[in-house]
Amino acid sequence: MHLDASQEKLLRGEGGEARRFAMEIVTRVGDAVGASSLVPVKSAHVLAHYSSLHDAGVDVLERFASSGGKFAVPTSVDPASIDLQNWRSFGISEDYARQQFRLCDAYAKLGGMRCWTCVQYQVCNFPKQGETVAWAESSAVVFANSILGCRSNKITAGMDVACAVLGLTPKFGMLEDENRRAKVAFKLSAGSLSDVDYRSLGFYIGRKAGARVPVLEGLPASVTSDEIKHLGAAAAAAGPVTMIHLPGITPGSNTSSAATGGERVEEFDVSRSDLSDVEEDLNQTHELPDLVAFGVPHLSVSELGLLSNQLEGRRVKKGVRMYLYTSGQAYEMAERTGIAGAIEASGARLTHSTDAEISPLKQLGFRVVMTNSAKLAEIVSSEGEIKMRYASQEAIIEEVTG
Amino acid sequence: MKGRGLVAGGAAGAALLSRRAFTFAHGVDPSTGTVTDVRSDIRGENVKGRVLFYPFGKGSTTASSWFLESVRLGNYPCAIVTEGADLSAVIGSVMAKVIYGKEIPVVSGVSREEYSRIAAGARVKVNSSGEGAKVEA
């Protein structure tokens, strides 16, 4: 990989230890993937949750912070492993919280924006079309490439902080025009779509597309950005997808043929039965859940409003916890507008700055978790200890409330 | 066998061969080194001190941290050899060197067909550098 004179200096340590360490990481990765050079980014998004980073991740982030590191570009952060405000009331131990707060402190010392969310593009990190960014969080990367018209690779833990400290990222993968072209097409003919259908559709695409960039035709005109958020998250959970061309929505892809560059590609028809197959596949039991989790990725204020309407006049059954995961900003808005009160009147709980798939569900004693998130179902089931159920929001509420 | 040296170093250990895509994230218990991924073909095996072979990485981008935690706790493979470059292995290994002073060579470009000729548990030597990498069974 070619480095310019200023980058060579950073690699020699002339910009301080934090940037030398960061350069060592990005140049090794750049060489491994055959990147041509390092290019500037407009923003970064990093991971700082204890459940995946462990004590080793605390060591890494503290090393960056204690050696004088500062983020060179606006940087947001994925959810923490605990509700940073109300963690005690969720049964989190002091020891667990202490390690999470060490990550929070190191992240703050590096100068990051303290909006702990996986939907930073709805909350605090707003790049404009055409910009290159270095984001971790696979669902946000799909959103950036497909909807915002940005360019981002899926940046791995450790590499994310290195890119943020340098304001640079290796040029490869989704930063190159030729790699952004659609290589496989999906044609939807499944009628109207429910919340869970969007997730199942994304999951189906993620499994079938493999490493190929997909184009998806046939989404209803009524599709919302929240629905696309969940579709993309499910696709990225099922496979290495980092972009989905949606003709008429994705900048630069008004038609399928623009997405593929006019080339013929393999096509899949997606029918109602394909979506049902995903649903069946992600269901591991029929037992009553002890936890219902909504909000992987985080719910927006409008999604919270819809949930509060559906929960109106209902009570969550005894023995079932229902958690709604959102960002701190949406949480505050929900409190101010009465949505939070309406939700909690049903016995459900609103929680912010954390998310289900990165919280210690097993240690908290949950055995059966029910969700409309294909991403959560996929991640939790791979460990084989908690059983997952997967259904639509409406069906879940019907079953677990009275 | 020849490959690309992604992270330099030399190591020797018993071969642990996975023919399926592999991840440390929710896939290896860092406190023991045991492979726990229900979808792995080497579930129940232990990565500690082994030369770990797999075709590709998969899954969460946090795999590098899971790998690094296994290094911190001393339950890590002595070398990783893959077909396609696995960024999580590269980043985990670079951080292992800087944070814990451990050298874990990472090699790519050795195909599943090639490494499948090695007998499970056979002693393997790995030598990786910027010029290239050699894997000898």
Side-chain angles (χ1 to χ4, degrees):
Chain A
M1 190 170 59
H2 171 78
L3 298 182
D4 67 25
S6 66
Q7 294 163 357
E8 290 280 3
K9 278 187 183 170
L10 294 180
L11 188 57
R12 285 198 302 267
E14 291 176 32
E17 171 55 20
R19 287 196 277 183
R20 189 204 61 74
F21 176 27
M23 276 299 287
E24 192 175 340
I25 293 175
V26 298
T27 52
R28 280 193 195 272
V29 171
D31 286 337
V33 297
S36 50
S37 60
L38 291 173
V39 292
V41 296
K42 290 287 183 180
S43 83
H45 182 79
V46 304
L47 306 176
H49 58 276
Y50 182 59
S51 68
S52 315
L53 267 55
H54 309 280
D55 291 337
V58 176
D59 289 344
V60 172
L61 217 60
E62 287 183 345
R63 172 67 72 96
F64 271 114
S66 68
S67 57
K70 287 283 175 209
F71 293 136
V73 290
T75 298
S76 51
V77 65
D78 233 34
S81 289
I82 62 174
D83 182 313
L84 294 173
Q85 188 183 354
N86 306 308
W87 55 275
R88 279 193 181 83
S89 69
F90 286 92
I92 300 289
S93 73
E94 297 278 340
D95 287 345
Y96 195 89
R98 188 178 313 116
Q99 292 305 84
Q100 177 59 58
F101 281 117
R102 281 176 69 184
L103 287 167
C104 296
D105 291 346
Y107 171 76
K109 201 169 170 193
L110 287 161
M113 291 184 267
R114 279 171 266 181
C115 45
W116 298 79
T117 183
C118 43
V119 297
Q120 70 271 22
Y121 49 86
Q122 291 185 325
V123 173
C124 60
N125 196 336
F126 306 107
K128 64 180 193 291
Q129 193 179 323
E131 287 182 345
T132 298
V133 299
W135 285 5
E137 174 55 44
S138 62
S139 66
V141 170
V142 173
F143 201 91
N145 284 316
S146 313
I147 307 301
L148 304 180
C150 294
R151 286 161 189 260
S152 183
N153 285 309
K154 190 164 74 176
I155 305 289
T156 306
M159 171 85 169
D160 52 359
V161 178
C163 290
V165 161
L166 296 167
L168 298 169
T169 199
K171 190 168 191 221
F172 72 102
M174 298 307 285
L175 271 47
E176 306 274 16
D177 285 340
E178 63 269 25
N179 297 331
R180 296 174 68 83
R181 256 178 239 132
K183 298 282 184 202
V184 57
F186 293 87
K187 299 201 164 166
L188 180 66
S189 52
S192 68
L193 300 177
S194 72
D195 60 318
V196 77
D197 291 335
Y198 278 106
R199 279 85 163 172
S200 299
L201 173 60
F203 203 80
Y204 179 84
I205 291 170
R207 281 218 172 142
K208 287 270 179 199
R212 296 171 294 183
V213 174
V215 55
L216 170 62
E217 284 181 72
L219 278 185
S222 64
V223 67
T224 65
S225 65
D226 279 323
E227 285 162 341
I228 295 171
K229 161 180 88 179
H230 293 296
L231 181 145
V241 170
T242 49
M243 176 175 191
I244 305 172
H245 288 272
L246 303 170
I249 298 174
T250 301
S253 297
N254 281 329
T255 61
S256 257
S257 133
T260 60
E263 275 177 43
R264 279 181 67 88
V265 299
E266 189 181 5
E267 284 183 11
F268 292 97
D269 287 312
V270 190
S271 66
R272 169 69 34 196
S273 73
D274 294 318
L275 304 185
S276 311
D277 287 350
V278 170
E279 220 169 297
E280 203 169 301
D281 204 32
L282 291 175
N283 265 298
Q284 302 180 300
T285 178
H286 294 290
E287 293 168 78
L288 187 71
D290 41 30
L291 174 67
V292 168
F294 291 123
V296 181
H298 275 168
L299 298 164
S300 66
V301 182
S302 63
E303 290 177 299
L304 288 173
L306 186 65
L307 264 158
S308 79
N309 291 341
Q310 286 181 310
L311 288 168
E312 199 184 336
R314 293 173 177 268
R315 277 299 295 179
V316 177
K317 285 180 184 166
K318 254 202 162 132
V320 181
R321 304 270 173 91
M322 184 188 287
Y323 295 166
L324 279 52
Y325 295 86
T326 189
S327 63
Q329 287 80 349
Y331 181 91
E332 282 178 21
M333 180 80 87
E335 282 203 312
R336 276 204 302 280
T337 53
I339 292 172
I343 287 168
E344 305 221 327
S346 71
R349 290 196 69 185
L350 202 52
T351 177
H352 70 79
S353 60
T354 184
D355 216 336
E357 84 282 19
I358 51 163
S359 64
L361 296 178
K362 196 171 60 187
Q363 292 90 317
L364 293 172
F366 294 116
R367 291 177 41 259
V368 179
V369 177
M370 193 172 192
T371 185
N372 63 348
S373 166
K375 174 174 180 169
L376 178 62
E378 167 67 11
I379 292 174
V380 172
S381 66
S382 71
E383 277 194 287
E385 301 205 24
I386 292 172
K387 286 189 196 149
M388 289 304 305
R389 290 187 63 192
Y390 173 66
S392 72
Q393 193 164 297
E394 196 180 351
I396 295 172
I397 290 175
E398 196 56 46
E399 180 173 336
V400 306
T401 65
Chain B
M1 285 170 277
K2 290 209 163 103
R4 289 175 61 206
L6 300 183
V7 180
L16 178 58
L17 307 159
S18 171
R19 275 129 189 123
R20 290 201 202 147
F22 189 89
T23 181
F24 278 82
H26 308 274
V28 176
D29 179 351
S31 65
T32 60
T34 305
V35 179
T36 54
D37 181 358
V38 293
R39 296 179 186 95
S40 171
D41 57 340
I42 53 169
R43 184 171 196 224
E45 297 271 3
N46 198 299
V47 300
K48 185 173 178 174
R50 311 286 288 271
V51 176
L52 175 61
F53 292 80
Y54 54 86
F56 301 98
K58 68 163 184 177
S60 169
T61 54
T62 61
S64 46
S65 316
W66 286 75
F67 175 29
L68 190 64
E69 179 71 355
S70 79
V71 175
R72 188 184 74 84
L73 296 171
N75 304 310
Y76 58 99
C78 66
I80 293 178
V81 181
T82 63
E83 181 170 334
D86 178 12
L87 295 194
S88 292
V90 173
I91 293 167
S93 172
V94 170
M95 294 195 296
K97 180 82 188 295
V98 174
I99 307 283
Y100 301 119
K102 302 276 193 247
E103 194 170 81
I104 306 158
V106 179
V107 174
S108 73
V110 177
S111 73
R112 183 163 28 192
E113 287 67 38
E114 281 179 273
Y115 72 67
S116 289
R117 292 197 293 262
I118 301 170
R123 194 171 164 79
V124 174
K125 262 173 74 179
V126 176
N127 221 309
S128 169
S129 75
E131 277 78 60
K134 256 178 31 189
V135 178
E136 294 169 285

